[in-house]
């Protein structure tokens, strides 16, 4: 469904920017398996820093994709879970992650080949016309 206006494009772009932030799909995917506390999400996403996870959770919550609940136990616990809006993304999230797993070796091989060729390129060689509109 193509965007109807510049405003539509900007809104779609900003939504996609949030969804494709570095850890967003992985964190959302982990929460699609059920509610989780912060440390469980950190364990489910090895390599994510506490700061990055906190920022990711705040962005997903601000978009309405996850909800944060404080549970009054001793000590106080915070639980995150997907909202109905977030759950509606589950098949798409899992599809993208499955696609990435299936094609990771091919993509990595292509990246390495590209990097090997990169030093022989000078300036914008081979990129003429990229980003220019015809007509």
């Amino acid at each position: 469904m193509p965007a109807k206006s510049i405003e539509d494009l900007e809104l779609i772009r900003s939504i996609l920017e949030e969804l494709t932030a570095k850890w967003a799909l992985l964190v959302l995917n982990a929460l699609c398996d059920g509610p989780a506390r912060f440390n469980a999400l950190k364990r489910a996403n090895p390599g994510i820093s506490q700061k990055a996870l906190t920022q990711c959770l705040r962005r997903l919550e601000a978009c309405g994709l996850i909800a944060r609940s404080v549970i009054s136990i001793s000590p106080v616990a915070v639980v995150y879970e997907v909202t109905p809006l977030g759950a509606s993304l589950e098949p798409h999230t899992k599809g993208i992650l499955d696609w990435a797993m299936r094609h990771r070796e091919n993509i990595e091989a292509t990246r390495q080949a590209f990097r090997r060729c990169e030093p022989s390129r000078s300036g914008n060689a081979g990129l003429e016309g990229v980003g220019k509109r015809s007509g």
Side-chain angles (χ1 to χ4, degrees), residues 25-26 28-34 87 89-102:
L25 292 176
L26 295 169
L28 191 58
N29 185 60
L31 287 171
C32 284
D33 293 336
L89 278 171
E90 182 176 10
H92 309 290
T93 300
K94 290 197 182 303
I96 290 169
L97 295 175
D98 289 344
W99 180 89
M101 285 297 289
R102 280 193 317 273

Side-chain angles (χ1 to χ4, degrees), residues 35-99:
R37 292 174 68 170
F38 186 91
N39 284 330
L41 289 170
K42 196 164 179 347
R43 284 190 301 274
N45 294 283
I48 192 170
S49 69
Q50 183 168 335
K51 180 180 177 182
L53 180 55
T54 299
Q55 291 172 340
C56 180
L57 290 167
R58 286 182 181 161
R59 283 192 311 270
L60 292 172
E61 184 181 9
C63 291
L65 300 175
I66 66 168
R68 178 182 183 269
S69 302
V70 178
I71 300 174
S72 301
I73 58 173
S74 184
V76 173
V78 176
V79 175
Y80 298 91
E81 61 187 318
V82 293
T83 62
L85 181 62
S88 73
L89 278 171
E90 182 176 10
H92 309 290
T93 300
K94 290 197 182 303
I96 290 169
L97 295 175
D98 289 344
W99 180 89

Side-chain angles (χ1 to χ4, degrees), residues 3-39:
K4 303 283 186 216
S5 66
I6 292 172
E7 291 81 14
D8 288 343
L9 285 174
E10 178 56 27
L11 180 58
I12 291 167
R13 187 210 54 78
S14 70
I15 292 167
L16 291 175
E17 186 175 337
E18 294 297 334
L19 289 175
T20 59
K22 186 172 183 177
W23 294 99
L25 292 176
L26 295 169
V27 171
L28 191 58
N29 185 60
L31 287 171
C32 284
D33 293 336
R37 292 174 68 170
F38 186 91
N39 284 330

